[in-house]
Amino acid sequence: MTPPSETGALLEHLFRHQAGRMVAHLTRLLGPARLDLAEETVQETMLRALQTWPHQGVPENAAAWLFRVAHNAAIDAVRRDRLIGEKTEALVVELSQASQAAPGGQDFEEQLRDDELRMIFMCCHPEIPRDASVALSLKIAGGFSVREIARAFLAEEAAVAQRLVRAKALIRQRGLTLELPRPADLQRRLDAVMEVIYLVFNEGYAAHEGEDLIRHDLCSEALRLGLLVATSSLSAPRAHALVALMALQAARWPARVDEAGDLVLLESQDFSRWDQRLITLGFRHFDRSMAGEEVSEYHVQAAIAATYTRAAAGKSIDWPLVLSLYDQLLAMSGSPVVALNRAVAVAKVRGPEAALEAIAPLEQNPKLRHYHLWLAVRGHLLLELERREEAAACFRAALECRCSEPERRFLARKLAECGAVADAATLPAA
Amino acid sequence: MPHYMLLLYDNPANWQNLSPEEMQQALEKYMAWTQKPFRVDSKRLAPDVGRVIRSQGGQPRATDGPYSETKEVLGGYYTIEAANYDEAVQRTLDHPHLEYGGTIEVRQVYGS
């Protein structure tokens, strides 16, 4: 036993990283219908560590300790659970055998990656509604608590808990399994997984409220899951495009706000603060996404992110290229948000007048009416055209919408630029 | 310097809804507290019901511990040094166990 004073620091996020793997591993052994039991067992294992390690020191191989205790706790739980009935002994044998394998060994690591991959495909099964898949993936694979998920998505804890219950009930009722999708089904299943991963990423990256730390964690988790899928046997070029897109966007994270916590627009960002490791990762997967003929929305978005990122290498942003990519993306998705983003490129290439014209049809879209970025972009274009009063009206309306504190301050600054400082009293209290 | 025992009572339900990240943060706080210079010793008790031995009609008899009847169970103990009760309590106030809903009983080790 190591005296506490000699123990090293714990690995960062050790529990979070191991929890998802342990739940996936135990669920394979116990069966998807006993997902709850696997989760409880892992919770108990972490509690055991919490109770023991402060006094006995952190074990030399902490991950191996966790897996050993989890196997034993699962065996106890299986023996206690009368509902398991005649299957008890078979499960106990399987758990005992599995506990012989040591984490850290190459075979075991590969097995765990496979367990996690199967788990994420089950969590994102098309039979489960998207919002429930998002919650389930974060809870099971990502090791987020109900409270953290609720905080990240600005939802009620009870609502998130309800989604999880519903998702688990669906797994049981529909008999969803951890089997990997059949080839005929693979594309549809892969798309469902990627959609969930991208939703998680976007929530972290583009959410308008919420705590920074938890949003950052969402992005990292989405990237981790994206990598898991992209580097698996079920991968496709578009999975690499998704990883590239997420990595290249996330690379800009450290430069998005300045020391005062104020938003910094892309072109004014301090490029030296962009995360080089993520840029390298992003371009590596961008290259791999080029294999084959496939061009997905993820490809085009990754290409846009790559174009921005090249500006970090001292070049100016190639706006005509960005515009042509947005043209392509708009043709593929038809999304009003894409149309709005495209307008920024239109303004750069053809001027603010053309950009205003381009977004005019969006005015009728009820979804955008209370979207602060729509109002902010419109206000920005009007301001460039010296139509100050109309611009001020846009920024004022944008300030009425839900947005983050840095965004609020940004909008207030733009409003002041319109010469509307005199009626600052009408500003909502920040 | 006199020794004081800190008896840590747990309610397992307090830990059910914490995420792995939060569990690790809790663990780190407990580990940090255990490094305090006035700590003499600490031990964790096994997470089982234990046994209670009573004399019944002059015969000692062992039964399972009180685990199932109470929500809070004695989960571990520390021995710390302190000049008096006031200091012992003062030194214990920042123990993370309190932050996570546990209870700590402070008792002087007699004659120490």
Side-chain angles (χ1 to χ4, degrees), chain A residues 314-342:
Chain A
K315 296 174 198 159
S316 53
I317 295 172
D318 184 347
W319 286 109
L321 176 60
V322 172
L323 179 56
S324 73
L325 289 167
Y326 267 119
D327 287 342
Q328 198 180 349
L329 189 59
L330 188 59
M332 293 167 100
S333 78
S335 141
V337 176
V338 170
L340 187 60
N341 288 329
R342 179 180 166 274

Side-chain angles (χ1 to χ4, degrees), chain B residues 7-106:
Chain B
L7 305 170
L8 273 66
Y9 292 86
D10 264 336
N11 180 353
N14 288 344
W15 301 102
Q16 261 164 22
N17 295 321
L18 294 193
S19 69
E21 195 75 1
E22 290 166 332
M23 292 291 275
Q24 180 163 344
Q25 281 162 8
L27 167 62
E28 280 162 3
K29 288 180 193 171
Y30 274 79
M31 295 206 326
W33 204 90
T34 308
Q35 310 282 325
K36 298 254 185 189
F38 49 75
R39 166 194 168 276
V40 178
D41 181 31
S42 67
K43 285 280 188 300
R44 173 73 206 168
L45 303 180
D48 55 31
V49 296
R51 303 288 183 275
V52 176
I53 305 172
R54 285 192 187 86
S55 175
Q56 283 185 349
Q59 292 295 315
R61 280 196 51 184
T63 56
D64 281 353
Y67 193 79
S68 53
E69 291 140 45
T70 51
K71 273 203 280 182
E72 286 203 324
V73 287
L74 178 61
Y77 66 86
Y78 285 74
T79 309
I80 63 166
E81 285 184 328
N84 49 44
Y85 259 113
D86 280 349
E87 191 178 50
V89 167
Q90 203 58 40
R91 287 183 162 178
T92 308
L93 288 179
D94 66 350
H95 196 292
H97 198 59
L98 302 166
E99 184 186 331
Y100 291 97
T103 305
I104 302 179
E105 188 179 335
V106 184

